[in-house]
């Protein structure tokens, strides 16, 4: 492409701006752009952080002196529960997701995430869920059973108020946003990198985010399942965690920590990604041991799933089983140490330039290494028995989380501020903020280790004088307030810089990654043209990219048919394979989230018919949303001038949609496996497990229903196989046949459920079985609806031999439905019979 | 353990600060690679692995002594403790004594506490006598306790159990074996 | 067992997936073993459960070591310029992942040397 004259280039960029910009005024609420959504995530997260911080100050006020009654036990319990909940679920994860959403496409050299409307939906779910949870605090009916909600304390008997419901429903609602962000980030990183950006040339930050996103996909479903089960127990009296009837309170702990431990690494990985990005920039030296670090990231991602029982060392598990988790907990120190020393080696080799973000990185190192070392100590079982549930653990946890997440995050904030505002942060005030925060933090938490060793349990609202804890608590409280002042200084600094900061020049830190090739402050479309990437450090080796990108010398410089286009690329080599056209601004995410909020609130006030109606409405909205895809006139209708090489993604068989479906099914499958785990766990470990003498579910009809499902899947697969070959013979007929068979199968399932004699409020066996049956029912029902819609779309010409995209996306869903049906049949019905239980 | 870890912490921080201050000078590419690899292998692999091996070598036997394994000779004294919101019920099955919020034990001999709960999860903990163990409804956990010296020890519920969690305390009185027998006779006659 | 090409990106995670399955098998198997045929506490560490878990640990880590060796050997020498760097990257990193998985799998079996299984 030749150099366009300036005038023409300006007009070209205006066309880009026109296509990619948010709607004006209130229309900004319909924005789906990753820059807007990412910034909203971060801003909202910071507000929640301040609220959580105020709660922490109340805790430290109450504990400053012995035998105080400033707050009182019941409010104190609400406050510490909400402090943990807000910081973990409403601050740490969403802020990091927001940062990832903002940065990842810019680092990958593309214009947006691959499912933009999903980003917007995730944001609104997070916002509404967070507001619902916090509203409970205003009414003084907040959850008060601790942020990990151990049953039976959180069950109906011991927490009759709505507090626990707020937690369970609100958090599940918020988690929709986490999972959607997880799916979206995985697919975006794997499938929409700049041309030529093979996995080994990907910025290290994206490796971290890829691991984090995959961990979200596998880590959150156990908690979602746990929350659903506990809510069913509280609202409908199903037996899952009550010992009477064959439940087990320990099942909750397993499900919670199966999520809860990976979650710590979900928080740590992106923060470590920030460290790995910043250190090379300030050391003026490429990151040492890129491959070692990738190895560390992958190892950490896996091993962190094998640690969860170390939160449960005192529940009375056999010591050999504890030893496995103890060993795994120590093993995870290795990838961490590899990273710490790779960073050290980078600093060693480089010539370090000293700026404010570096200060926070050093703060991170000091605090995090200390937290990591106490973590290794905690992994040692006998030591754990002594300090578990004491203030030692409180101190350890804050060292790891604040050190491992907040310090790098603030370093990142300062580092990327010019990107958002176009101005540089002030060095002087920033230093004050750092030293106040760092000093206050250590004053608060360093001595708290000792408080714990002296025997102060956590979560007590007051303590007697004279146990040796008095001065320690007072010092901790003073430190807490110094830290709060530090936060205030940092906020003032950041706010002021938007007004008074020095104008930043292009690429102010001399960084190596692509996000600095974008003009500052950022525009709506990131890159005016999409560059080819040949190196891991594009801005160091080709600094002229800034000009050539702006001049439109690279790919997709021209807007086509008023569409938002980006490149889709090969997952390994990063070679361009297709042009992905993205949806534009839409009100549907906001509407869907509002309706989901209605579901959540009506469940809270126990207006179940309303909840059901709203849930159905949400389904309709989501289907409506899916309707505007592919060759729909509002998306990318077939035109004469459609690009052929590379083709539009909706004309291919292996587009991002398929990847999104498969990743979502991984999350879904984890939910199902968690249910299976619950089944086997209760069966083997619940103290009073009992199964009914006769099978509660009619076996033969169930098998027949399964045969119908299998036939439907076969026909559907046959239809898709034909499509892949470009044949459309009998496509509509096959789709209708699959839908019809699926519908009959679904009706038989309903009949089985109706005639079964399940007593979920009496027996845990029946309760689990019932959940499994409803799970199957939901999947079969959705598969049928999707297929009917496909048949209609064939008729309208949105799907066909030239447009095989959508049926291919839905095929894994059918196969999954088929798989879980027969697996359930074997695990829930056949196996108990074979065992003679 | 604490000492070793403090040393590691200080050493790592010092190395970092030095690495930041240090100016790299001109080295050949190959030499640089060698240095890098050395850092990662020694610091990232060797250091954590040896540290872990050492603490496991101390830790696993220490944990072993806390297990309620059968003694070489004789029976272990058994006491049942049931937690309630927010008090402790202590029962001596051999002498049919029931106490509330206090526990009397002989010093110098190991004993097994059979722990369970009547309502929510609690955790039995006497900081000066050893580790804690959770008390779960529907299950019984066995804690091996060993008080070396006669005296009075403070115990407290360690697992958050509701509004009055902070006030769920008890005392353990460890008697010399003779005093313990006297105490037992006295309690039995009071009943 | 079917093996993917040493350059396939699946190798980057396969080793740790095997580790995870081994972990599940070990933990689940121990629970089931202790529920249905618990050896007495007197036996200490000399029980059938310990023996089986140790043997399996050796087997699993042995297999992973073989995979690691395969990937390492397959990777072209780093000075061969004409090879695609992504291939070297995948195979070498995969070899390291297999090695780490082998060590981690072995480490999981080690408690079996010392501890009684069901107490």
């Amino acid at each position: 492409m030749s150099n366009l004259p300036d005038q023409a280039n300006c007009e070209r960029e205006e066309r880009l701006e026109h296509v990619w910009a948010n709607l004006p005024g209130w229309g900004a609420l319909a924005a789906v752009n990753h820059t807007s959504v990412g910034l909203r995530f971060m801003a909202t997260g910071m507000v929640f952080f301040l609220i959580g911080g105020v709660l922490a100050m109340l805790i430290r006020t109450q504990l400053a002196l012995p035998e105080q009654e400033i707050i009182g036990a019941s409010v104190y319990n609400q406050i510490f529960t909400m402090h943990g909940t807000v910081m973990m679920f409403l601050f740490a994860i969403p802020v990091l997701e927001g940062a990832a959403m903002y940065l990842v496409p810019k680092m990958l050299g593309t214009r947006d995430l691959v499912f933009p409307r999903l980003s917007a939906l995730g944001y609104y779910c997070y916002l509404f869920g967070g507001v619902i949870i916090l509203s409970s605090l205003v009414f003084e009916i907040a959850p008060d059973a601790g942020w990990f909600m151990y049953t039976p304390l959180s069950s109906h008997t011991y927490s009759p108020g709505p507090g626990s419901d707020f937690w369970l429903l609100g958090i599940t609602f918020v988690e929709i946003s986490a999972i959607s962000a997880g799916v979206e980030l995985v697919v975006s990183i794997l499938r929409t990198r700049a041309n030529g950006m093979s996995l080994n040339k990907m910025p290290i930050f994206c490796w971290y985010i890829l691991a984090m996103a995959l961990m979200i996909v596998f880590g959150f479903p156990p908690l979602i399942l746990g929350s659903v089960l506990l809510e069913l127990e509280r609202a409908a009296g199903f037996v899952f965690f009550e010992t009477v009837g064959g439940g087990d309170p320990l099942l909750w702990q397993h499900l919670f920590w199966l999520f809860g431990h990976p979650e710590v690494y979900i928080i740590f990985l992106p923060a470590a990604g920030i460290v790995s990005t910043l250190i090379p920039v300030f050391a003026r030296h490429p990151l040492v041991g890129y491959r070692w670090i990738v190895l560390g990231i992958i190892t950490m991602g896996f091993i962190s799933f094998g640690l969860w029982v170390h939160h449960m060392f005192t529940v009375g598990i056999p010591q050999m089983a504890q030893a496995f988790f103890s060993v795994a907990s120590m093993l995870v120190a290795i990838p961490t140490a590899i990273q710490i020393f790779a960073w050290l080696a980078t600093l060693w080799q480089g010539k370090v330039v000293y700026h404010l973000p570096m200060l926070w990185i050093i703060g991170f190192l000091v605090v995090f290494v200390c937290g990591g070392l106490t973590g290794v100590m905690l992994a040692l079982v006998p030591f754990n028995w002594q300090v578990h549930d004491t203030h030692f653990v409180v101190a350890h946890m804050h060292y790891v989380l604040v050190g491992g997440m907040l310090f790098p995050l603030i370093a990142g904030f300062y580092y990327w501020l010019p990107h958002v505002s176009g101005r540089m942060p002030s060095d002087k005030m920033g230093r004050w903020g750092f030293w106040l925060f760092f000093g206050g933090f250590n004053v608060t938490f360093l001595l708290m280790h000792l408080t714990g060793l002296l025997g102060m349990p956590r979560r007590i609202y007051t303590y007697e004088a004279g146990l040796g804890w008095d001065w320690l608590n007072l010092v901790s409280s003073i430190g807490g307030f110094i830290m709060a002042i530090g936060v205030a200084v940092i906020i003032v600094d950041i706010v002021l810089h938007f007004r008074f900061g020095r104008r930043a020049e292009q690429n102010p830190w001399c960084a190596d990654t692509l996000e600095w090739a974008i003009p500052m402050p950022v525009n709506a479309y990131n890159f005016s043209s999409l560059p080819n990437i040949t190196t891991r450090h594009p801005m160091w080796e080709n600094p002229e990219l800034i000009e050539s990108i702006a001049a439109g010398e690279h790919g997709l410089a021209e807007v086509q048919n008023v569409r938002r286009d980006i490149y889709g690329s090969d997952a390994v080599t990063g070679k361009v394979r297709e042009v992905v056209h993205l949806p534009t601004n839409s009100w549907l995410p906001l509407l869907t989230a509002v309706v989901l909020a209605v579901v959540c609130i009506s469940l809270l006030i126990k207006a179940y018919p309303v909840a059901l109606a709203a849930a159905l409405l949400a389904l309709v909205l989501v289907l409506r949303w899916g309707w505007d895809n592919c060759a729909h006139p509002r998306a990318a209708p077939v035109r004469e001038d459609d690009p052929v090489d590379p083709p539009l993604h909706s004309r291919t068989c292996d587009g991002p949609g398929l990847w999104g479906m498969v990743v979502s099914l991984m999350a879904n499958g984890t939910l199902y496996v968690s249910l299976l785990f619950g089944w086997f766990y209760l069966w083997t470990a619940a103290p009073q497990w009992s199964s009914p003498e006769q099978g509660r579910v009619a076996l033969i009809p169930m098998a027949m229903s399964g045969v119908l499902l299998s036939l439907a899947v076969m026909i559907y697969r046959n239809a898709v196989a034909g499509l892949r070959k470009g044949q459309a013979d009998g496509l509509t007929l096959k789709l209708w046949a699959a839908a019809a068979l699926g519908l009959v199968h679904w009706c038989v399932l309903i009949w089985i459920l109706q005639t079964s004699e399940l007593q979920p409020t009496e027996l845990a066996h029946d309760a689990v079985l019932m959940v499994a049956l409803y799970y199957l029912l939901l999947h079969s029902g959705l598969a049928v609806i999707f297929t009917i819609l496909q048949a209609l779309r064939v008729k309208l010409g949105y799907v066909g031999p030239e447009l095989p995209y959508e049926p291919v996306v839905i095929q894994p869903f059918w196969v999954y439905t088929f798989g879980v049906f027969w697996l359930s049949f074997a695990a829930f019905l056949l196996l108990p019979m074979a065992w003679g239980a | 353990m604490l000492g070793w870890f403090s040393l590691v912490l200080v050493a790592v921080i010092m190395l970092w600060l030095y690495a930041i201050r240090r100016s790299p000078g001109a080295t050949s590419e190959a030499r640089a690679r060698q240095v890098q690899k050395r850092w990662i292998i020694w610091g990232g692999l060797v250091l954590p692995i040896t540290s872990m091996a050492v603490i496991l070598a101390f830790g696993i036997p220490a944990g072993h002594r806390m297990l309620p394994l059968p003694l070489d000779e004789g029976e272990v004294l058994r006491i049942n403790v049931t937690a309630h919101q927010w008090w402790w019920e202590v029962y001596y099955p051999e002498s049919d004594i029931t106490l509330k919020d206090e526990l009397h034990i002989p010093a110098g001999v190991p004993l097994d506490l059979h722990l369970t709960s009547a309502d929510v999860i609690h955790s039995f903990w006497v900081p000066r006598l050893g580790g804690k163990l959770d008390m779960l409804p529907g299950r019984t956990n066995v804690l091996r306790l060993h008080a070396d010296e006669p005296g009075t020890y403070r115990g407290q519920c360690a697992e958050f159990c509701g509004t009055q969690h902070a006030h769920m305390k008890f005392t353990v009185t460890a008697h010399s074996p003779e005093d313990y027998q006297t105490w037992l006779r006295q309690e039995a006659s009071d009943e | 067992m079917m093996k993917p090409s040493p350059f396939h990106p699946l190798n980057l995670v396969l080793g740790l997936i095997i580790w995870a399955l081994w972990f599940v098998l070990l933990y689940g198997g121990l629970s089931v073993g202790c529920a249905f045929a618990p050896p007495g506490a007197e036996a200490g560490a000399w029980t059938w459960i310990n023996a089986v878990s140790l043997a399996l640990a050796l087997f699993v880590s042995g297999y992973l070591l073989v995979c690691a060796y395969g990937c390492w050997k397959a990777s072209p020498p780093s000075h061969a310029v004409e090879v695609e760097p992504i291939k070297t990257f995948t195979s070498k990193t995969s070899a390291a992942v297999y090695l780490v998985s082998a060590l981690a799998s072995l480490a999981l079996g080690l408690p079996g040397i010392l501890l009684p299984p069901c107490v």
Side-chain angles (χ1 to χ4, degrees):
Chain A
M1 209 174 291
S2 64
N3 254 339
L4 293 165
D6 280 354
Q7 176 67 26
N9 197 35
C10 273
E11 280 168 17
R12 186 185 66 82
E13 293 204 323
E14 267 166 32
R15 285 193 292 277
L16 272 171
E17 184 69 34
H18 171 71
V19 167
W20 287 88
N22 297 339
L23 299 175
W26 286 101
L29 292 178
V32 295
N33 183 298
H34 80 104
T35 303
S36 308
V37 175
L39 289 175
R40 283 173 200 180
F41 258 104
M42 285 190 272
T44 314
M46 287 317 291
V47 172
F48 284 125
F49 170 72
L50 294 181
I51 294 171
V54 170
L55 295 174
M57 290 303 100
L58 291 173
I59 293 174
R60 281 319 323 168
T61 313
Q62 167 67 23
L63 290 180
L65 297 171
E67 289 159 46
Q68 292 198 105
E69 290 287 345
I70 304 173
I71 298 180
S74 103
V75 177
Y76 181 85
N77 294 345
Q78 296 181 23
I79 288 179
F80 83 71
T81 303
M82 287 300 278
H83 169 68
T85 307
V86 168
M87 287 302 196
M88 282 294 204
F89 294 99
L90 302 184
F91 164 62
I93 297 180
V95 160
L96 291 168
E97 278 167 9
M101 285 174 141
Y102 179 88
L103 287 171
V104 161
K106 297 183 169 72
M107 287 191 168
L108 295 178
T110 186
R111 288 176 176 153
D112 205 341
L113 292 166
V114 74
F115 307 124
R117 290 177 294 186
L118 199 58
S119 338
L121 174 73
Y123 173 70
Y124 288 119
C125 287
Y126 159 54
L127 178 68
F128 296 153
V131 170
I132 289 173
I133 294 173
L134 276 184
S135 67
S136 68
L137 199 60
V138 180
F139 303 122
E140 279 196 37
I141 45 171
D144 58 358
W147 75 270
F148 29 86
M149 285 283 132
Y150 275 4
T151 58
L153 184 60
S154 59
S155 69
H156 190 66
T157 324
Y158 300 103
S159 297
S164 304
D165 300 320
F166 269 101
W167 194 95
L168 295 166
L169 295 167
I171 291 298
T172 305
F173 194 22
V174 170
E175 277 168 2
I176 297 175
S177 87
I179 298 243
S180 61
V183 171
E184 173 162 60
L185 287 166
V186 171
V187 181
S188 295
I189 294 174
L190 289 178
R191 290 292 271 105
T192 63
R193 298 197 299 270
N195 188 24
M197 189 188 275
S198 51
L199 281 178
N200 58 327
K201 294 194 192 108
M202 194 160 79
I204 194 76
F205 184 77
C206 296
W207 273 104
Y208 280 99
I209 298 300
L210 180 61
M212 168 196 92
L214 280 169
M215 287 182 71
I216 288 179
V217 166
F218 291 106
F220 276 62
L223 180 61
I224 294 182
L225 178 78
S227 303
V228 170
L229 297 187
L230 184 52
E231 188 54 35
L232 276 175
E233 180 170 291
R234 286 177 56 87
F238 281 32
V239 183
F240 296 108
F241 307 110
E242 292 275 354
T243 332
V244 182
D248 188 349
L250 279 185
L251 175 60
W252 169 263
Q253 299 193 13
H254 278 291
L255 290 175
F256 186 87
W257 291 118
L258 204 50
F259 145 82
H261 201 84
E263 198 239 14
V264 175
Y265 290 85
I266 290 172
I267 292 174
F268 171 67
L269 279 174
I274 295 176
V275 177
S276 285
T277 309
L278 264 56
I279 284 187
V281 172
F282 290 110
R284 301 278 184 264
H285 189 276
L287 184 63
V288 168
Y290 180 89
R291 215 154 62 197
W292 282 96
I293 291 195
V294 171
L295 172 71
I297 296 169
I298 296 175
T299 315
M300 212 174 218
F302 274 88
I303 294 193
S304 62
F305 278 89
L307 317 179
W308 81 93
V309 169
H310 78 210
H311 296 266
M312 300 164 61
F313 276 163
T314 63
V315 300
I317 287 171
Q319 217 206 351
M320 186 150 139
Q322 293 190 9
F324 301 150
F325 292 95
S326 177
V327 168
S329 306
M330 295 192 178
L331 282 177
V332 85
I334 297 176
T336 319
I338 289 181
Q339 291 174 63
I340 301 253
F341 280 89
W343 295 328
L344 172 68
T346 311
L347 293 172
W348 192 270
Q349 297 287 342
K351 198 166 166 51
V352 181
V353 212
Y354 209 69
H355 285 293
L356 187 57
M358 263 320 269
L359 200 55
W360 285 93
I361 298 282
I362 295 170
F364 149 79
L365 174 85
V366 175
V367 173
F368 179 74
V369 171
C370 180
L373 290 172
T374 51
V376 178
M377 295 188 202
L378 279 170
L380 194 65
V381 177
F383 184 73
N384 185 294
W385 285 344
Q386 184 60 29
V387 298
H388 178 74
D389 270 334
T390 68
H391 270 74
F392 186 91
V393 170
V394 178
H396 156 72
M397 174 172 88
H398 283 88
Y399 264 82
V400 174
L401 291 174
V402 176
M405 181 266 173
L406 197 61
F407 277 85
L409 183 74
I410 298 183
F413 272 168
Y414 276 117
Y415 176 75
W416 279 295
L417 262 182
H419 204 272
V420 180
S421 66
R423 292 169 186 274
M424 301 299 283
S426 108
D427 223 31
K428 197 166 169 204
M429 208 159 159
R431 272 168 207 274
W432 270 97
F434 171 79
W435 286 111
L436 281 169
F437 188 87
F438 181 79
F441 176 83
N442 283 299
V443 171
T444 311
F445 291 107
L446 192 63
L447 285 172
M448 204 179 272
H449 290 112
L450 184 60
T451 322
L453 289 175
L454 289 177
M456 180 163 169
R458 70 199 277 201
R459 302 182 163 180
I460 54 174
Y461 79 99
T462 190
Y463 51 94
E464 298 157 51
L467 292 169
W469 309 339
D470 309 13
W471 70 276
L472 290 167
N473 274 297
L474 185 61
V475 172
S476 283
S477 293
I478 293 171
F481 284 94
I482 299 176
M483 196 157 86
I485 297 171
V487 172
V489 172
I490 295 164
I491 290 173
V492 170
D493 182 28
I494 290 181
V495 170
L496 287 183
H497 115 282
F498 276 95
R499 180 80 180 74
F500 300 110
R502 182 165 51 78
R503 287 249 168 242
E505 64 222 63
Q506 192 73 38
N507 196 2
W509 313 108
C510 302
D512 59 335
T513 39
L514 266 183
E515 79 272 24
W516 296 104
I518 300 171
M520 297 188 302
V522 287
N523 55 36
Y525 51 88
N526 293 346
F527 298 94
S528 167
S529 57
L530 303 180
N532 290 347
I533 294 302
T534 50
T535 154
R536 205 180 284 159
H537 314 285
M539 296 299 286
W540 281 348
E541 293 178 22
N542 313 91
E544 72 283 355
L545 272 177
I546 296 179
E547 288 84 37
S548 63
I549 288 174
E553 289 176 23
H554 307 276
L556 292 183
E558 241 348 298
V559 172
Q560 292 225 325
N561 295 320
V562 209
R563 255 189 344 240
R564 298 188 173 189
D565 285 342
I566 61 174
Y567 279 139
S569 51
D570 183 85
V572 178
T573 60
K575 296 220 170 69
V576 166
R577 283 169 41 167
E578 67 257 282
V579 172
V580 181
H581 52 86
L582 299 177
T584 177
N585 298 316
S586 165
W587 291 96
L588 282 168
L590 176 59
L591 270 177
T592 312
V594 168
V595 175
L596 285 174
V598 173
V599 175
C600 183
I601 293 169
S602 43
L603 285 176
L604 268 175
I605 56 174
K606 306 202 185 298
Y608 297 118
V610 183
L612 185 67
L616 289 175
L617 182 58
L619 177 66
V620 171
L621 283 171
V622 171
L623 294 173
R624 173 69 193 71
W625 161 340
W627 194 253
D628 287 357
N629 273 336
C630 290
H632 186 276
R634 265 194 293 272
V638 180
R639 288 193 179 88
E640 289 283 308
D641 60 345
D642 277 345
V644 183
D645 187 30
L648 288 178
H649 81 279
S650 53
R651 277 58 161 167
T652 66
C653 286
D654 184 24
L658 181 65
W659 288 66
M661 174 59 90
V662 171
V663 178
S664 315
L665 287 177
M666 287 179 189
N668 193 351
T670 314
L671 185 88
Y672 178 78
V673 170
S674 306
L675 183 67
L676 271 187
F677 166 77
W679 170 256
F680 288 116
Y681 180 82
L682 290 179
W683 191 0
T684 50
Q688 295 180 29
W689 174 259
S690 69
S691 38
E693 310 226 325
Q694 279 177 336
R696 304 269 185 158
V697 173
L699 208 59
I700 307 288
M702 192 73 184
M704 280 167 51
S705 165
V707 171
L708 288 172
L709 174 65
S710 313
L711 281 175
V713 174
M714 270 168 60
I715 294 175
Y716 192 89
R717 280 175 61 97
N718 179 275
V720 171
L723 262 185
R724 279 179 188 275
K725 284 187 211 127
Q727 302 160 354
D729 313 338
L731 178 62
T732 323
L733 189 68
K734 283 179 193 162
L735 289 176
W736 282 113
L741 281 170
L743 190 65
V744 179
H745 148 80
W746 190 76
C747 293
V748 177
L749 263 186
I750 293 252
W751 177 81
I752 290 171
L753 204 65
Q754 284 289 319
T755 54
S756 71
E757 289 154 1
L758 293 173
Q759 294 170 337
T761 55
E762 303 290 324
L763 273 191
H765 173 278
D766 289 10
V768 178
L769 204 55
M770 189 158 223
V771 171
L773 283 175
Y774 272 106
Y775 183 86
L776 296 180
L777 209 57
L778 177 72
H779 282 78
S780 303
L782 285 177
V784 169
I785 294 175
F786 293 158
T787 309
I788 292 175
L789 290 178
Q790 284 305 306
L792 293 176
R793 288 173 78 85
V794 173
K795 205 169 171 199
L796 290 168
Y798 304 157
V799 171
E802 305 297 314
L803 301 159
Y805 187 75
E806 291 183 5
V808 175
V809 172
I810 292 168
Q811 175 167 287
F813 192 85
W814 270 108
V815 175
Y816 178 81
T817 308
F818 166 84
V820 288
F821 182 92
W822 288 112
L823 197 56
S824 308
F825 189 74
F828 292 102
L829 301 177
L830 291 185
L831 201 60
M833 286 171 63
W835 206 274
Chain B
M1 188 166 66
L2 265 172
W4 169 245
F5 279 149
S6 310
L7 192 71
V8 171
L9 175 67
V10 172
V12 171
I13 293 171
M14 286 300 154
L15 274 174
W16 260 56
L17 292 179
Y18 176 67
I20 291 174
R21 302 260 148 183
R22 171 182 184 275
S23 86
T27 43
S28 70
E29 184 81 350
R31 172 82 190 132
R33 261 167 199 279
Q34 208 181 358
V35 170
Q36 295 164 5
K37 212 173 236 176
R38 213 171 276 167
W39 275 120
I40 294 178
I41 288 176
W42 284 96
L45 294 177
V46 177
L47 176 74
I49 291 175
T50 43
S51 300
M52 280 178 325
V54 170
I55 63 171
L56 278 178
F58 283 109
I60 288 182
H64 207 76
R65 281 196 295 279
M66 295 186 185
L67 291 180
L69 295 172
L71 291 185
D72 292 339
E73 46 189 289
E75 282 285 295
V76 186
L77 173 64
R78 168 180 172 155
I79 304 173
N80 295 349
V81 183
T82 308
H84 299 258
Q85 273 181 327
W86 293 276
W87 57 282
W88 310 81
E89 178 190 339
V90 179
Y91 179 69
Y92 294 73
E94 284 158 31
S95 35
D96 194 28
I97 297 170
T98 309
L99 301 172
K100 185 183 172 185
D101 288 346
E102 53 181 317
L103 183 61
H104 291 262
I105 57 169
V109 280
L111 57 142
D112 280 352
L113 298 178
H114 289 243
L115 307 171
T116 187
S117 165
D119 38 51
V120 303
I121 300 174
H122 302 269
S123 186
F124 181 96
W125 190 32
V126 185
R128 286 172 58 200
L129 295 186
K132 55 183 74 67
L133 198 57
D134 287 359
M135 313 169 83
L136 299 130
R139 288 172 190 269
T140 302
N141 283 332
V142 182
L143 179 70
R144 174 67 54 88
L145 207 65
H146 194 132
D148 292 325
E149 298 286 326
T152 311
Y153 303 91
R154 206 179 140 275
Q156 182 160 13
C157 175
E159 180 63 59
F160 179 66
C161 58
T163 329
Q164 293 306 317
H165 167 60
H167 297 305
M168 188 167 162
K169 298 167 194 160
F170 62 99
T171 53
V172 180
T173 315
H175 303 277
S176 63
E178 306 82 60
D179 288 354
Y180 179 70
Q181 290 307 327
T182 324
W183 175 83
L184 264 187
R185 273 196 300 279
Q186 211 166 16
E187 281 293 317
S189 60
D190 283 356
E191 291 271 316
Chain C
M1 204 187 274
M2 205 182 67
K3 265 197 200 161
S5 139
F7 305 113
H8 196 282
L10 194 63
N11 284 303
L12 289 173
V13 288
L14 200 58
L16 284 159
I17 289 177
I18 293 175
W19 173 83
L21 292 176
W22 160 232
F23 195 114
V24 170
L25 179 76
L26 189 62
Y27 181 50
L30 178 72
S31 310
V32 173
C34 285
F36 292 101
E42 317 75 48
W46 299 99
T47 67
W48 67 273
I49 292 185
N50 294 54
V52 171
S53 68
L54 268 175
L56 275 174
L58 287 175
F59 172 75
V60 172
S61 48
Y63 174 74
L64 288 168
L65 279 179
V66 171
C67 293
Y69 181 70
C71 273
W72 187 261
K73 219 179 54 171
S75 62
S78 48
H79 50 78
V81 191
E82 63 274 19
V83 196
E84 278 179 80
I86 178 70
K87 287 200 161 176
T88 325
F89 174 80
T90 317
S91 58
K92 286 217 165 152
T93 314
S94 304
V97 170
Y98 279 120
L99 184 67
V100 168
S101 319
L103 293 177
S105 304
L106 187 66
L108 283 184
L110 290 182
I113 299 178
L114 280 173
L115 294 171
C118 301
V119 184

